[in-house]
Amino acid sequence: MPEPVAIHARRAPILAPSASGAVRVLPAADRLVLQMKAPRGAVLPAGAGGFDLSGPLNSVRGTPERFAARLGPGEWLLVCPEGEGTAAEPAIAADLARRFFSLVAVGHRNAAFLLSGPHAADILNAGIALDLSDTAFPPGSATRTLLGKTEVVLVRVGEAFRLECWRSFAPYVHAFLQDAAREFA
């Protein structure tokens, strides 16, 4: 009897990555959703599979390519370059071995955009009703919010913004952002 063959489905990018303009489509990345109950006052690990989980709520720790965004009291979105998630999962599990947690790979669920330039916050404010000024949403901030009719995760990366949305909403989000950017072209 022949041995079973493992077949791994690969999704084609919903939008082709772009490298210019105020709104850029980012290349594919690996993403993990970590949920972990942390008792009040508990010290969270600074390193779990190379991700720093110690930040306060609505913050992000790491680099623009590899970061942990703390979106709730016990919820993080972990993002790393495509192909690194497979190695990160067992490393995270080993580092959190004495805790109760759930770790789910959602790499193909999301699409990401990078908004940069002097009008990046203005473009986002066409559909996001948050104060995105440096004092209210400084670099290192992260939140879950709405852009128009779509739930998104917004991360402040230096002077730029990274926006994550479900890939089925990516064409709508891209068109929305491109339309808003035309005002500042």
Side-chain angles (χ1 to χ4, degrees):
M1 189 190 274
E3 292 204 22
V5 177
I7 299 173
H8 298 282
R10 287 287 294 152
R11 288 188 187 222
I14 191 95
L15 299 169
S18 62
S20 64
V23 179
R24 289 181 275 169
V25 179
L26 293 175
D30 286 345
R31 297 166 184 89
L32 304 159
V33 172
L34 171 65
Q35 294 186 344
M36 174 175 56
K37 186 171 183 172
R40 199 176 291 240
V43 177
L44 294 168
F51 292 98
D52 183 353
L53 307 179
S54 67
L57 289 177
N58 295 329
S59 72
V60 63
R61 297 279 193 260
T63 66
E65 297 80 28
R66 183 184 179 86
F67 61 84
R70 189 168 185 196
L71 303 174
E75 180 185 4
W76 291 261
L77 174 65
L78 311 175
V79 177
C80 57
E82 187 175 36
E84 290 185 17
T86 318
E89 283 185 72
I92 294 167
D95 290 340
L96 300 177
R98 298 192 183 274
R99 298 179 183 263
F100 292 105
F101 70 92
S102 166
L103 185 64
V104 179
V106 294
H108 294 296
R109 178 186 76 182
N110 287 15
F113 303 91
L114 186 72
L115 287 92
S116 59
H119 298 291
D122 299 321
I123 294 167
L124 286 166
N125 278 143
I128 294 177
L130 292 175
D131 182 355
L132 299 177
S133 67
D134 290 344
T135 53
F137 200 78
S141 297
T143 191
R144 180 178 285 120
T145 188
L146 292 175
L147 174 85
K149 299 176 182 181
T150 305
E151 181 181 315
V152 298
V153 171
L154 184 62
V155 176
R156 181 83 183 263
V157 183
E159 294 305 310
F161 296 87
R162 181 184 178 116
L163 187 136
E164 296 261 340
C165 69
W166 284 15
R167 73 188 311 268
S168 58
F169 296 113
Y172 165 79
V173 168
H174 189 247
F176 189 106
L177 294 171
Q178 292 289 69
D179 188 48
R182 282 190 195 100
E183 183 177 337
F184 303 101

